[in-house]
Amino acid sequence: MIVTTHLHMTHIISYESINKIAFGVQESCVIAVFGTPERRTHNRAGDQELHYPGIILRHEAPSGALREVTLLPGCNGTINGIAILWTTEFLDWLAVEDTELQECVGFVVSLKLGIMVSGFHDDDESQKAIHVFRKGDMDVLADKMRSFFWKGTKL
């Protein structure tokens, strides 16, 4: 049985938690709060992915620690108390919050907030997603990042 609280509102605190579940916890903690996932998969890195309506939670291989959350269009929620919008207004907000946004392999990355977005900056609805990650997870891609400019301002 899937617990329905996550279906209505998802609350994320940058680099800390999703619905009060801390990054770094094991899969059993996630399932205790979110319930049984609709499906389980593994990504190319071997991370376990738990799929729920509008949300994918990734646990790193081999430690099993929660490392990333992907929000899909239509997912209702907040990041640091600010409502998630599935329009370019979300990228506007991100640009105000982090004046040093980066672009990396097609994603816009906020290292300040631990957020990576796709599909917002290039109007690609098929790629639209918000990824929230643990502190340090993007360090391995530092050499591939470059400054990202949104609406003429460096972010």
Side-chain angles (χ1 to χ4, degrees):
M1 176 180 205
I2 295 176
V3 178
T4 59
T5 55
H6 71 279
L7 298 174
H8 301 292
M9 191 64 84
T10 301
H11 299 285
I12 293 174
I13 304 297
S14 288
Y15 287 125
E16 289 182 25
S17 63
I18 173 172
N19 290 7
K20 299 184 180 178
I21 301 170
F23 283 102
V25 301
Q26 297 296 305
E27 183 180 308
S28 60
C29 294
V30 170
I31 291 173
V33 172
F34 281 85
T36 303
E38 289 182 335
R39 65 186 170 103
R40 296 170 184 255
T41 59
H42 287 89
N43 64 16
R44 288 178 284 210
D47 295 341
Q48 173 80 26
E49 298 182 331
L50 303 180
H51 295 254
Y52 295 94
I55 303 171
I56 303 168
L57 295 107
R58 283 182 193 81
H59 293 81
E60 97 181 317
S63 74
L66 178 63
R67 62 175 295 275
E68 182 181 328
V69 176
T70 297
L71 306 176
L72 302 172
C75 179
N76 294 315
T78 63
I79 296 178
N80 301 335
I82 303 299
I84 296 168
L85 302 173
W86 291 97
T87 66
T88 55
E89 289 179 54
F90 183 78
L91 193 51
D92 294 341
W93 170 79
L94 197 59
V96 168
E97 294 297 310
D98 185 349
T99 59
E100 296 183 9
L101 290 178
Q102 303 290 306
E103 187 278 329
C104 184
V105 295
F107 294 89
V108 176
V109 181
S110 167
L111 295 173
K112 178 181 177 183
L113 298 175
I115 299 171
M116 189 167 57
V117 298
S118 57
F120 287 87
H121 62 297
D122 55 6
D123 290 323
D124 187 347
E125 291 294 321
S126 70
Q127 294 296 315
K128 195 169 273 189
I130 300 169
H131 311 272
V132 184
F133 52 88
R134 296 181 303 187
K135 195 158 201 74
D137 271 5
M138 293 293 115
D139 293 352
V140 297
L141 297 173
D143 63 331
K144 294 183 176 159
M145 292 192 189
R146 58 183 173 87
S147 294
F148 176 78
F149 297 88
W150 177 243
K151 295 194 177 182
T153 58
K154 181 181 184 300
L155 308 174

